[in-house]
Amino acid sequence: MTADARPSAIPTHGEARQMDGRAPFVIVMNAGSGRKQGETTAALIANAFGKANREYELMLVHDPSQLAATAQRAVELAQARNGAVVGAGGDGTLCAVAQAVIGSGCAFGVLPCGTFNYFSRDHGIPADPAQAVDLLLTARAHPVQVGFVNDRMFLVNASLGLYPKMLEHREIYKRQFGRSRLVALWSAMAMLLRRHRHLRLHVDHEGTMQEIRTSTLFVANNRLQLEQVGAAEAPLLAQGLLVALAPRAIGRIAQIVLSLRGALSRMSDADNVIGFAFRRFTVTHPSKRRRRVKIAMDGEVTHMQMPLEFRVGDTPLYLLKPEADVAAQNRS
């Protein structure tokens, strides 16, 4: 695995902000996230906020297509009342709500209700719903880094190629066999056994154009996820950078071996992976045509027009999270 030159200018995003102890919360909850534990979480919110005499409004979303619009209404309501916006759901839900929150002046809170919860785990937010609710009442808002693909934000990762196909395949398996990490792993291995085409991409990074052939281009903004696969570039996220990984064009057996290395946290030992840290780079197709490609961001699959510009967000997201020492203890 190789890493490109690292920029010396690392942006700073300022200090943590103390929340007003009377500020209300506007909570956007995805009713379909995780194991559909919405009723339990809603009861915990009512109990904890009632004891603290804290105002809140719960916006329950049953139709995923209404999530972005609901998040925007939540931000407008929070702005009018000098409150905070909370996303309750998996990483995809949190990303949709955070996209509306960033730059609004509102703090962003998290109640993790998904399968993997990479974003909340990376920032030390408790997986236990009761503890996560209690944290909202006491935490300061800390500036955290986000990534962008063109004008779309991501919190955890963005990718094109094989990975978005694997996510779609995973959703089919989940509908049949339920939501669990074991089902997700099973569906991924089944997808890797299939024949798939490699991408030919032109990558413009720091003024240098390189053509790569790969099954998938994966861009990460999550230290925990990179550490789980053993990527050597994981610490660079703390320096205000994102990390790109792209396996070289290899056969199916070699692809499975590479995936097993990742599962064993040994990706850094692999010679078949291109890896580099960056603040900004652009991906085009060799034909220069404005092709429409499938892309995944935080587990949600959509289509975007090339070229694709991956970059670190200029504005941080102010996240209600534990202090650094407590967050480190909570990570798992």
Side-chain angles (χ1 to χ4, degrees), residues 25-63:
F25 291 92
V26 184
I27 304 167
V28 180
M29 179 180 291
N30 184 350
S33 289
R35 295 177 176 83
K36 298 186 178 181
Q37 52 187 336
E39 291 184 6
T40 301
T41 303
L44 289 171
I45 293 169
N47 181 58
F49 285 16
K51 289 180 178 178
N53 196 27
R54 198 70 168 269
E55 293 183 15
Y56 76 95
E57 180 163 338
L58 180 61
M59 296 182 171
L60 196 59
V61 180
H62 294 277
D63 181 358

Side-chain angles (χ1 to χ4, degrees), residues 43 69 76 82 100-101 121 140 149 155 165 186 197 301 323:
E76 292 168 359
N82 294 318
V101 173
R121 289 165 60 201
R140 293 194 299 164
V149 187
L155 300 175
K165 294 178 183 177
W186 180 18
R197 297 175 60 185
V301 180
E323 301 303 315

Side-chain angles (χ1 to χ4, degrees), residues 224-244:
L224 176 64
Q225 194 171 45
L226 288 177
E227 288 182 349
Q228 283 186 343
V229 299
E233 295 84 358
L236 299 178
L237 294 175
Q239 299 181 25
L241 304 172
L242 299 174
V243 170

Side-chain angles (χ1 to χ4, degrees), residues 185 189 192 228-229 253-267:
L185 178 61
M189 295 306 296
L192 287 173
Q228 283 186 343
V229 299
I253 299 301
Q255 182 78 55
I256 292 172
V257 171
L258 182 61
S259 298
L260 289 174
R261 280 183 175 273
L264 296 172
S265 302
R266 293 182 55 192
M267 190 72 79

Side-chain angles (χ1 to χ4, degrees), residues 201-222:
L201 302 171
H202 281 177
V203 176
D204 185 352
H205 177 230
E206 296 186 345
T208 301
M209 180 73 74
Q210 179 182 4
E211 180 172 313
I212 63 172
R213 292 187 69 243
T214 181
S215 59
T216 191
L217 175 64
F218 185 87
V219 175
N221 184 42
N222 188 272

Side-chain angles (χ1 to χ4, degrees), residues 21-320:
R22 299 164 297 177
F25 291 92
V26 184
I27 304 167
V28 180
M29 179 180 291
N30 184 350
S33 289
R35 295 177 176 83
K36 298 186 178 181
Q37 52 187 336
E39 291 184 6
T40 301
T41 303
L44 289 171
I45 293 169
N47 181 58
F49 285 16
K51 289 180 178 178
N53 196 27
R54 198 70 168 269
E55 293 183 15
Y56 76 95
E57 180 163 338
L58 180 61
M59 296 182 171
L60 196 59
V61 180
H62 294 277
D63 181 358
S65 67
Q66 298 301 310
L67 187 56
T70 303
Q72 188 57 51
R73 291 198 301 272
V75 168
E76 292 168 359
L77 182 58
Q79 286 176 318
R81 300 169 63 185
N82 294 318
V85 178
V86 177
D91 288 325
T93 298
L94 301 185
C95 181
V97 178
Q99 173 100 43
V101 173
I102 194 165
S104 68
C106 298
F108 178 58
V110 167
L111 295 176
C113 304
T115 303
F116 292 98
N117 299 316
Y118 277 117
F119 179 71
S120 59
R121 289 165 60 201
D122 192 36
H123 290 288
I125 294 170
D128 179 76
Q131 294 179 21
V133 170
D134 288 341
L135 176 67
L136 294 176
L137 295 168
T138 59
R140 293 194 299 164
H142 295 258
V144 301
Q145 174 178 289
V146 301
F148 276 84
V149 187
N150 294 350
D151 61 346
R152 292 284 299 275
M153 191 184 79
F154 62 93
L155 300 175
V156 179
N157 61 57
S159 61
L160 61 152
L162 180 61
Y163 193 72
K165 294 178 183 177
M166 293 175 67
L167 291 178
E168 290 182 324
H169 196 245
R170 187 177 75 187
E171 287 305 308
I172 295 173
Y173 268 60
K174 284 182 176 180
R175 286 194 291 269
Q176 290 181 298
F177 305 110
R179 291 182 175 270
S180 73
R181 297 186 186 185
L182 183 60
V183 169
L185 178 61
W186 180 18
S187 69
M189 295 306 296
M191 188 67 184
L192 287 173
L193 289 171
R194 296 183 179 184
R195 185 180 299 276
H196 53 83
R197 297 175 60 185
H198 289 106
L199 300 171
R200 287 181 63 233
L201 302 171
H202 281 177
V203 176
D204 185 352
H205 177 230
E206 296 186 345
T208 301
M209 180 73 74
Q210 179 182 4
E211 180 172 313
I212 63 172
R213 292 187 69 243
T214 181
S215 59
T216 191
L217 175 64
F218 185 87
V219 175
N221 184 42
N222 188 272
R223 179 199 54 80
L224 176 64
Q225 194 171 45
L226 288 177
E227 288 182 349
Q228 283 186 343
V229 299
E233 295 84 358
L236 299 178
L237 294 175
Q239 299 181 25
L241 304 172
L242 299 174
V243 170
L245 301 175
R248 301 181 192 276
I250 53 180
R252 278 181 288 176
I253 299 301
Q255 182 78 55
I256 292 172
V257 171
L258 182 61
S259 298
L260 289 174
R261 280 183 175 273
L264 296 172
S265 302
R266 293 182 55 192
M267 190 72 79
S268 60
D269 297 340
D271 296 326
N272 288 321
V273 177
I274 301 167
F276 60 91
F278 67 94
R279 282 195 51 77
R280 184 184 303 265
F281 78 91
T282 303
V283 177
T284 57
H285 189 267
S287 68
K288 304 298 182 183
R289 294 171 54 192
R290 291 181 57 83
R291 294 189 56 180
R292 197 163 178 260
V293 294
K294 189 177 293 184
I295 186 164
M297 288 171 287
D298 294 345
E300 304 297 322
V301 180
T302 186
H303 288 83
M304 298 182 73
Q305 291 280 359
M306 296 184 83
L308 302 174
E309 183 187 58
F310 293 85
R311 62 182 175 86
V312 177
D314 298 325
T315 302
L317 180 70
Y318 278 86
L319 175 67
L320 294 170

